[in-house]
Amino acid sequence: MFCEQCEQTASGNGCHQWGACGKSPEVNAVQDLLVYCLRGLAPVTIKARELGISCHEADVFTGETLFATMTNVNFERKRFNVYIRQCIDIREGLKESIEKISDEPINWSAISNYQPNFSESLAEQGREKDLTFISKSTNNIDIFSLKLTVLYGIKGTASYNFHAQELGQEDEKVYAFIQEALASLDRNDLSLEDWVNLALKVGEINLRAMELLDQGHTTTYGHPTPTKVPLNPKQGKAILVSGHDIKQLAALLEQTVNKGVTIYTHGELLPAHGYPILKQKYPHFYGHYGTAWQNQTKDFAHFPGAIIVTTNCLMPPHETYEDKLFTIGPVGYSGINYLPSDAQGIPDYSLAIQTSLEMPGFTKDEASRHVMVGFAHNTVLSVSEQVIEAVKQGKIRHFFLVGGCDGAKPGRTYYTEFVEKVPQDCIVLTLACGKFRFFDKQLGEIGNLPRLMDVGQCNDAYSAIKIALGLAEAFQVSVNDLPLSMILSWYEQKAVAVLLTLLYLGIKDIRLGPTLPAFITPNVLKFLSETYNLQPITTPDQDLVACLA
């Protein structure tokens, strides 16, 4: 196998024998074959769209399946076999529709005519296609680097768009670009500059996908408000929900009304407690349990109820808790309970609910602890005048956005140390699971403003961007002239998409860690450094001095 799409790749270069995420070579190969088939579907979808034929099924399918190939989402090889069959069926169905109205026959390329041999090993066929893709790009490794950047970026965009589409928020422009980007991966006639521009276009389209997701969340559940979230369990039956999917959390809350079960969040669902409609409507939506995704083997083992994983990030489960673990949507693992969805995309959670009722639950209340969430763009920008005045008076010297993906590799203690050393006259904004390195730190306040503000999930990166743009407008300067520094951690493909969005917006001086992406070549890194001053983190002390200079 060959995979370098996440930060935890073996030796920082790529996984070759087994995925650091737990992905087997066989699963990696069938995922590669699925991506190849999606690349073949893309030109057919583009032609159908030109002719006015509905491509919605193909677009939604492409988004879900790209999401399923991301790090720590789906490890179930058989599910990918089904996806590949569906991909070919959708492609051939679109071809038939095109032929009915096209004035002349179309000579489809080899990739759009490809037919897997389902009687032979799909994993072997996937390895062959992956090696071909690599070999065709060896003449220019910088272009290959940017091809991978585009591929991983649109995987991230597809995941944001998947959640937005679940909530009824769609934009034809996003769907069309994902297909165009997939089709471009088969081209060898584009220049290095073309690929740079395409990568920045991923950032532009990802901004729109994140905007749609923000609209879906806020119009359905209200704008997040500052909310205390208990970290201490209380006595009673319990269900733990991990991942990112607010809609599926809401569906579980609805199905557990008056069932005598308390609902806890885990990982990236912590910010869900800030949505006022969820808190008002469901009193059994109580608190948060555990920390970041990479600690789930410990957290899940000790949780005394059923556990539902709604999206990434799933780790290969331990036998101590696999019987009480359930997955939904694009998430899967061989041998783990899977809850299929109905026509509206909502699973029946009754099996998970029954499992929790049969388990002991928490036997006693624990000492009260809490953290604050809910500092999304609507909340922060509503006090922008107060923020501006505090800056003018010298009460606030600097803002730090410290966030992104957490992970298990050494070096991530940097982010804890950095936040601990931020001066008392500075404010820390944070988002995504990277915050679990310091989310329960008591940093105090500046005036009535908390020094640590949780903006939300990685799915809420749009909120952080809105805050930065809103403050820039209020100060009548560019974002790059704000007293703001971005200290980001990355792990998977959504982080790649967000980084491309920040570069598309022209934001400079970003510090990225704990390591730089293995798929970025020295020449591409040099371009990013010279154009955007993108740089790796060093030490907390050195980076603080540089940011505050």
Side-chain angles (χ1 to χ4, degrees):
M1 67 179 290
F2 172 72
C3 182
E4 56 178 1
Q5 68 176 359
C6 84
E7 193 270 334
Q8 295 196 168
T9 52
S11 303
N13 297 315
C15 295
H16 301 279
Q17 296 180 333
W18 199 275
C21 63
K23 180 173 60 176
S24 71
E26 289 73 25
V27 169
N28 182 74
V30 292
Q31 288 184 356
D32 286 343
L33 185 61
L34 172 59
V35 171
Y36 182 82
C37 291
L38 291 172
R39 288 164 50 201
L41 169 63
V44 180
T45 306
I46 291 169
K47 185 62 179 178
R49 184 173 272 109
E50 289 175 359
L51 296 174
I53 298 170
S54 174
C55 302
H56 192 255
E57 180 187 14
D59 290 330
V60 173
F61 174 82
T62 298
E64 177 182 338
T65 50
L66 281 175
F67 188 12
T69 67
M70 280 177 46
T71 306
N72 291 96
V73 178
N74 198 318
F75 300 80
E76 174 56 88
R77 181 178 55 79
K78 292 181 181 179
R79 287 272 297 280
F80 289 101
N81 293 356
V82 173
Y83 278 147
I84 290 169
R85 288 183 182 274
Q86 289 177 312
C87 184
I88 300 303
D89 288 344
I90 292 171
R91 186 192 72 191
E92 295 306 303
L94 280 178
K95 282 184 181 179
E96 290 179 9
S97 298
I98 291 170
E99 290 171 2
K100 289 178 181 178
I101 63 174
S102 181
D103 295 331
E104 54 187 36
I106 298 174
N107 294 319
W108 299 107
S109 63
I111 195 171
S112 293
N113 280 327
Y114 173 70
Q115 288 285 349
N117 186 344
F118 290 102
S119 62
E120 300 291 339
S121 169
L122 293 180
E124 288 298 327
Q125 295 169 66
R127 290 189 188 98
E128 178 188 343
K129 295 304 178 187
D130 190 36
L131 289 173
T132 301
F133 181 52
I134 295 171
S135 65
K136 284 183 177 180
S137 304
T138 53
N139 291 335
N140 192 319
I141 60 170
D142 296 324
I143 284 180
F144 184 54
S145 171
L146 289 167
K147 277 190 175 185
L148 293 178
T149 302
V150 168
L151 173 59
Y152 302 153
I154 60 171
K155 284 188 179 187
T157 299
S159 73
Y160 290 128
N161 200 58
F162 172 86
H163 290 301
Q165 180 267 328
E166 274 190 316
L167 293 165
Q169 299 291 328
E170 299 177 272
D171 186 336
E172 184 77 7
K173 181 172 68 174
V174 177
Y175 288 133
F177 176 76
I178 289 175
Q179 301 293 355
E180 290 166 11
L182 282 170
S184 296
L185 295 172
D186 200 43
R187 296 180 61 176
N188 295 306
D189 60 333
L190 299 180
S191 67
L192 189 66
E193 183 180 359
D194 291 332
W195 282 105
V196 168
N197 291 334
L198 190 59
L200 293 176
K201 185 71 174 179
V202 173
E204 177 187 352
I205 298 300
N206 185 64
L207 181 63
R208 176 58 178 153
M210 291 193 298
E211 180 184 27
L212 291 170
L213 179 54
D214 181 77
Q215 290 173 359
H217 282 155
T218 56
T219 57
T220 308
Y221 309 113
H223 282 280
T225 57
T227 305
K228 284 186 177 181
V229 183
L231 298 179
N232 53 293
K234 65 179 183 177
Q235 184 178 0
K237 307 293 185 180
I239 293 178
L240 186 65
V241 191
S242 190
H244 304 75
D245 201 311
I246 308 293
K247 179 180 179 179
Q248 300 299 0
L249 169 64
L252 174 67
L253 290 168
E254 183 64 31
Q255 293 182 35
T256 49
V257 170
N258 298 324
K259 293 290 178 64
V261 178
T262 299
I263 306 301
Y264 295 79
T265 54
H266 177 270
E268 287 268 50
L269 277 173
L270 168 62
H273 293 272
Y275 288 102
I277 291 177
L278 292 182
K279 298 297 288 186
Q280 293 163 11
K281 191 174 180 181
Y282 303 108
H284 61 299
F285 183 33
Y286 169 66
H288 188 78
Y289 183 90
T291 55
W293 66 270
Q294 76 275 5
N295 299 321
Q296 67 186 246
T297 53
K298 178 181 69 176
D299 295 340
F300 289 2
H302 291 103
F303 189 79
I307 303 157
I308 299 166
V309 181
T310 63
T311 58
N312 60 319
C313 300
L314 173 68
M315 294 179 68
H318 289 190
E319 61 181 14
T320 54
Y321 61 82
E322 61 183 13
D323 290 342
K324 62 181 180 182
L325 185 64
F326 298 82
T327 66
I328 63 173
V331 189
Y333 198 92
S334 180
I336 299 302
N337 302 297
Y338 179 72
L339 303 176
S341 300
D342 61 18
Q344 285 70 47
I346 301 299
D348 178 357
Y349 290 106
S350 56
L351 182 58
I353 296 168
Q354 185 59 37
T355 298
S356 285
L357 292 173
E358 293 170 355
M359 294 185 68
F362 290 103
T363 57
K364 62 179 181 179
D365 294 344
E366 295 187 6
S368 178
R369 297 181 299 126
H370 74 271
V371 293
M372 291 290 294
V373 301
F375 295 94
H377 62 87
N378 195 61
T379 294
V380 175
L381 294 179
S382 69
V383 294
S384 60
E385 291 184 4
Q386 182 181 346
V387 171
I388 293 169
E389 189 61 29
V391 172
K392 288 181 178 179
Q393 294 178 2
K395 294 178 181 179
I396 298 177
R397 180 170 32 149
H398 206 81
F399 297 88
F400 292 94
L401 175 60
V402 186
C405 311
D406 205 359
K409 278 176 66 174
R412 290 182 179 269
T413 55
Y414 163 95
Y415 297 93
T416 310
E417 296 170 16
F418 187 96
V419 169
E420 289 175 340
K421 292 181 177 182
V422 167
Q424 293 294 315
D425 57 357
C426 299
I427 283 180
V428 177
L429 303 170
T430 188
L431 79 163
C433 60
K435 65 171 162 274
F436 287 112
R437 295 279 170 174
F438 49 81
F439 80 125
D440 54 354
K441 300 289 182 184
Q442 301 301 315
L443 300 187
E445 297 181 343
I446 299 177
N448 296 322
L449 299 171
R451 288 190 57 237
L452 179 61
M453 298 185 188
D454 186 345
V455 177
Q457 306 177 328
C458 65
N459 285 12
D460 297 315
Y462 178 76
S463 231
I465 292 171
K466 283 278 286 184
I467 291 171
L469 295 176
L471 290 177
E473 181 179 355
F475 279 105
Q476 297 183 329
V477 297
S478 72
V479 172
N480 292 320
D481 293 323
L482 284 172
L484 168 68
S485 298
M486 296 190 181
I487 317 295
L488 306 182
S489 54
W490 83 284
Y491 173 71
E492 40 86 293
Q493 296 76 67
K494 283 187 285 187
V496 176
V498 172
L499 178 61
L500 292 175
T501 295
L502 295 174
L503 299 181
Y504 159 72
L505 291 170
I507 296 176
K508 298 182 178 181
D509 301 317
I510 298 168
R511 285 169 168 79
L512 183 65
T515 60
L516 295 177
F519 52 85
I520 296 295
T521 60
N523 284 337
V524 173
L525 177 60
K526 181 181 178 182
F527 168 80
L528 295 176
S529 299
E530 292 176 348
T531 308
Y532 302 100
N533 200 28
L534 178 69
Q535 53 195 295
I537 58 173
T538 58
T539 68
D541 289 322
Q542 290 178 20
D543 290 344
L544 273 168
V545 169
C547 291
L548 292 171

